[in-house]
Amino acid sequence: MGYNAAIDNSYKESSMAKFKSYRKGQLHLLPPCLEDYVPEGHLARLVYEVVEGLNTSAIEETYSELGQNTYHPKIFLKLFFYGYATGVRSGRKISARCETDTAYMYLAEMYRPDFRTINDFRKNHLSLIERYFVEVVKICKDLGMTKIGEITIDGSKMKANAAPRMSKDKVGYEAWLEKIEGEIEEILKEADRVDAEEDRLYGEERGDELPKELQTKISLKEKIREVLRDWKGDDKEKINLTDPDSRFMKERRGVITSSYNCQVAVVEGQVIVGADVIQEENDRQQLVPMVEQAEATLGGEVKEVIADSGYSSYDNYEYLSTTKKTGYIPDQYFEKVKQGDYQSPESRYHKENFRYDEGRDVYICPEGKELPFYKERDSEEGVIPRKQWIYKGEDCDHCPVSGQCTKAKYRTIAREKREPLQEEMRRRLLSEEGRQKYKKRLYWVEPVFGHFKYNLGFKSFLLRGLEKVRGEFKLMCIGYNLRKIFSYKMALAVA
């Protein structure tokens, strides 16, 4: 032993007296069973317990009894549920953690599935995995974590797995196709000119294989043709070549990119009872589907619905009234009315300052003049059908402020036939009870997307295509609800 090594060992021996000794070279017995890999009260144990109680026969039936035995579907479900609950969605990362993370080792029964096998399971069984979202919500219900009477709804844009530069309108795709066809033609001409160098180009190959560049161009050409062949709707709408199901959407920060619109319905306790992914940027058409999904999932009737102004429409107000549900959904102008923005001199002749006299069926302008009923106008054109009564001033040409009120000869006011429903909604939201009810959005539904994006880093999808994206979002919601169950049980244990 050299002099330096002897000093080093003597130093270790003297210093180790007050520390635990090094055990790098010591042989250890592994834990006698998997139960020793994770402590009591760990999230992985809850995931294991929940998945063991799920019926996976529909997935099991898709496997053949021939060939080598494969991993049980419940192993993959445990890995995905736990991964999505903790922000690990990549098949590669899940596979790697089955070798290094004791929680994953526990869930994987000490197997080490390849990342391709993990990804293939998710890809092939997403439609079946979605049904487990309902099963997990029912567990929440059985535990007493959910109540069906009151729900909050919200939506948020999530980036698609697609580069924005690959999004073009129809004219853009036609120009791109023309360019690609020209490039293919040039490559083929060049191939004809270099026939003499064929042996050098293809080596030991047969010599009739397509060059890689040409294969890529032809593949791209077919993708562009497929997009153009399936084009629907507005020619000016931008479609992404990588994920044609995604749509250009504006996020809250003003960034426009290829995205999907994710929807959730949440009950008290922040349990997600309804979830979906849509291609429409607007939320208005989603209130009814989310309410109905929540009712179907929990097996009861929703009595109160809370949502932001993105869900306001006369159709939705009418639906709530018809189904005898109480809504707390401000219209797009409610905040301005609430803040008194229309009381300024510049806004004196805004419609909000024209008072409707229901008994006499007339509008009264800020100058005290009447606008009686003029005609009825119904139109089904456009995105939002209009069902209106028109009120028209009769003495506007003699009014000294006529030029400030309207550029036309007579001022008209359009009153939607269902406007009383909006007025009733405003009165409800301005009441003390309404203000308290609407505040529930802040601590019921808004934390859901905050947790997804900022705690778990879920700001874009891994999968492509609407159906696969829907399945991935349901996996996120399953993982989220499992964490809620875990927190609920931990709180009960402490109490």
Side-chain angles (χ1 to χ4, degrees), residues 40-58:
E40 292 292 336
H42 195 280
L43 176 61
R45 287 185 176 272
L46 172 71
V47 172
Y48 195 103
E49 176 187 344
V50 168
V51 174
E52 283 300 305
L54 298 177
N55 183 352
T56 57
S57 59

Side-chain angles (χ1 to χ4, degrees), residues 200-473:
R200 182 180 65 82
L201 290 172
Y202 298 108
E204 299 299 322
E205 304 295 339
R206 297 193 308 270
D208 59 352
E209 295 84 358
L210 290 174
K212 287 185 178 179
E213 183 183 4
L214 183 57
Q215 289 178 341
T216 302
K217 298 288 184 184
I218 291 175
S219 175
L220 180 57
K221 172 184 171 182
E222 290 306 313
K223 284 185 178 180
I224 296 173
R225 280 185 168 176
E226 184 179 350
V227 169
L228 288 170
R229 188 167 54 247
D230 297 337
W231 198 283
K232 297 177 183 177
D234 189 353
D235 289 352
K236 294 183 179 180
E237 180 183 12
K238 288 190 175 182
I239 303 297
N240 191 280
L241 186 68
T242 309
D243 185 356
D245 286 349
S246 65
R247 295 291 181 267
F248 251 36
M249 298 182 187
K250 182 183 290 187
E251 297 181 353
R252 183 168 294 181
R253 296 170 298 167
V255 179
I256 300 176
T257 186
S258 297
S259 303
Y260 288 96
N261 188 351
C262 300
Q263 301 283 313
V264 293
V266 178
V267 295
E268 185 176 5
Q270 297 180 354
V271 175
I272 302 173
V273 297
D276 199 5
V277 176
I278 60 172
Q279 296 168 295
E280 294 76 25
E281 185 174 8
N282 195 290
D283 294 330
R284 287 194 189 97
Q285 305 300 317
Q286 304 313 309
L287 184 134
V288 176
M290 294 310 297
V291 170
E292 292 179 346
Q293 186 184 149
E295 290 181 332
T297 301
L298 289 176
E301 184 179 357
V302 170
K303 295 293 186 181
E304 294 182 342
V305 181
I306 305 167
D308 64 24
S309 59
Y311 295 86
S312 71
S313 72
Y314 289 117
D315 285 345
N316 288 338
Y317 292 160
E318 186 176 26
Y319 163 77
L320 294 172
S321 176
T322 302
T323 56
K324 300 188 180 342
K325 303 181 193 304
T326 304
Y328 297 90
I329 308 169
D331 59 86
Q332 284 80 4
Y333 303 102
F334 175 75
E335 280 302 316
K336 289 187 175 183
V337 172
K338 182 180 176 182
Q339 300 297 331
D341 290 357
Y342 296 117
Q343 302 306 310
S344 64
E346 296 81 9
S347 302
R348 177 172 174 77
Y349 300 106
H350 190 278
K351 178 190 172 182
E352 293 295 335
N353 294 318
F354 283 68
R355 180 172 59 86
Y356 178 66
D357 188 327
E358 186 176 1
R360 298 169 56 215
D361 191 25
V362 298
Y363 270 94
I364 300 173
C365 80
E367 303 302 322
K369 298 180 182 295
E370 295 184 355
L371 287 76
F373 175 76
Y374 171 57
K375 66 178 181 179
E376 188 172 337
R377 179 174 67 191
D378 284 2
S379 172
E380 298 298 326
E381 297 178 2
V383 178
I384 304 174
R386 296 184 301 174
K387 303 177 181 180
Q388 299 174 326
W389 288 298
I390 308 300
Y391 295 80
K392 181 180 177 183
E394 296 179 332
D395 195 26
C396 297
D397 52 346
H398 297 105
C399 181
V401 297
S402 177
Q404 301 176 43
C405 182
T406 179
K407 293 181 180 180
K409 186 175 181 180
Y410 298 101
R411 176 63 186 266
T412 59
I413 294 290
R415 180 175 177 81
E416 227 279 356
K417 294 180 180 180
R418 297 168 291 181
E419 204 160 317
L421 297 175
Q422 176 179 286
E423 293 166 352
E424 180 186 0
M425 184 71 73
R426 286 183 177 180
R427 288 193 295 271
R428 185 181 302 126
L429 287 165
L430 288 170
S431 69
E432 181 59 30
E433 180 185 2
R435 283 195 290 268
Q436 296 304 319
K437 288 277 188 181
Y438 190 67
K439 282 182 181 178
K440 290 183 177 182
R441 288 186 61 257
L442 300 176
Y443 50 90
W444 279 27
V445 69
E446 288 194 354
V448 172
F449 287 113
H451 178 69
F452 283 166
K453 293 183 177 182
Y454 300 105
N455 293 345
L456 300 183
F458 175 45
K459 297 181 180 180
S460 64
F461 287 101
L462 294 178
L463 305 183
R464 296 168 180 167
L466 181 60
E467 291 306 312
K468 290 180 181 178
V469 162
R470 275 179 174 153
E472 185 176 3
F473 187 61

Side-chain angles (χ1 to χ4, degrees), residues 35 38-47 106 486-487 489-490 493:
E35 292 293 324
V38 293
E40 292 292 336
H42 195 280
L43 176 61
R45 287 185 176 272
L46 172 71
V47 172
Y106 168 76
F486 177 71
S487 299
K489 284 195 166 187
M490 291 297 291

